[in-house]
């Protein structure tokens, strides 16, 4: 831990003003592999290792929540081989998580519509949810967006609210930001203060559309497999230099 704080100091990160929640669009795996003459699947394997390393660094640094975009509702359009590789990597990660979550005091939660996902992967996700429930609320939490789309999340939340209204559990005129947020996949989790997108693309790609209303955005040309602790520090330093007014004016 002392080495981490020494490194952070050198990178000018203020550990007393860390974003509580960081979200990352893990982009650039395919291009990373293509530039090296490798199959796209090799990029996803490298990207999975980057996720493990960055999640560990966030935990040690003191960030409370990390949300990553692993597989979108649109990613089913990719080749069966690429989709199969991504799901296989997720399965391996979940198997490791089940064995180590309690030891490492790491909570794990999924955003997205899990119904089209392989039943074995769904079962592993449920197992991680059960372990998460037994861990303290102050433990580091990684959120994995799987078969996730921001518009899809909002639609699913709206349908659940409508169903509750029809069942007499609530009334339409009771709906406000806080109540609607409780129907989202991220219910109970603070909105991300910082959203990072590697790879040089300058768009959200349907990621956390409701939750990003007042997030700070950081873009970098570095491809996700090459994204390291130093790159994360650059993003946090940039975030800490922003003037966050939330629509108001500072006096």
């Amino acid at each position: 831990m002392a080495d981490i704080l020494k490194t952070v100091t050198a990178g000018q990160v203020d550990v007393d003003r860390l974003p509580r929640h960081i979200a990352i669009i893990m982009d650039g795996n395919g291009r990373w592999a293509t530039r090296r003459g490798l199959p796209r699947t090799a990029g996803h394997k490298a990207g999975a290792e980057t996720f493990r390393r960055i999640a560990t660094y966030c935990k040690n640094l003191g960030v409370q929540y990390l949300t990553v975009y692993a597989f979108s509702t649109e990613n089913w359009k990719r080749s069966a081989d690429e989709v199969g590789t991504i799901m296989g990597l997720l399965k391996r990660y979940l198997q490791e998580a089940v064995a180590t979550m309690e030891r490492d005091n790491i909570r794990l939660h999924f955003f997205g519509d899990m119904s089209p996902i392989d039943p074995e992967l769904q079962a592993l996700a449920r197992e991680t949810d059960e372990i998460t429930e037994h861990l303290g609320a102050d433990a580091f939490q990684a959120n994995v967006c799987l078969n996730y789309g921001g518009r899809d999340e909002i639609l699913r939340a709206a349908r659940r609210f409508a169903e509750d209204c029809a069942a007499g559990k609530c009334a339409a005129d009771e709906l406000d930001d806080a109540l609607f947020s409780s129907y989202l996949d991220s219910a109970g989790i603070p909105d991300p203060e910082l959203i990072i997108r590697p790879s040089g693309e300058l768009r959200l790609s349907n990621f956390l559309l409701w939750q990003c209303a007042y997030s700070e955005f950081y873009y970098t040309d570095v491809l996700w497999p090459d994204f390291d602790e130093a790159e994360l520090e650059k993003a946090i330093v940039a975030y800490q230099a922003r003037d966050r007014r939330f629509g108001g004016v500072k006096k």
Side-chain angles (χ1 to χ4, degrees), residues 22-87:
I22 295 175
I24 303 178
I25 300 172
M26 301 187 296
D27 193 22
N29 294 332
R31 276 168 285 167
W32 181 90
T34 299
R35 290 176 185 179
R36 287 162 175 76
L38 300 171
R40 289 177 59 87
T41 53
H44 292 299
K45 291 174 183 176
E49 291 306 315
T50 298
F51 165 61
R52 287 184 175 88
R53 191 173 67 251
I54 293 300
T56 299
Y57 193 65
C58 282
K59 175 181 181 291
N60 292 338
L61 196 56
V63 174
Q64 190 169 357
Y65 298 94
L66 172 67
T67 299
V68 295
Y69 208 0
F71 191 86
S72 77
T73 49
E74 290 77 31
N75 286 157
W76 295 106
K77 300 172 186 176
R78 299 186 178 187
S79 71
D81 184 43
E82 187 170 349
V83 170
T85 295
I86 294 170
M87 294 302 170

Side-chain angles (χ1 to χ4, degrees), residues 122-137:
Q122 289 188 49
L124 283 167
R126 286 194 296 270
E127 192 170 355
T128 62
D129 277 341
E130 291 171 4
I131 296 171
T132 292
E133 290 177 3
H134 298 137
L135 296 176

Side-chain angles (χ1 to χ4, degrees), residues 21 23 67 111 145 148 150 153 192 195 206-213:
H21 182 179
T67 299
F111 295 178
C145 295
Y148 174 87
E153 179 189 25
I195 294 180
N206 204 14
F207 183 53
L208 301 179
L209 298 182
W210 175 273
Q211 297 88 341
C212 77

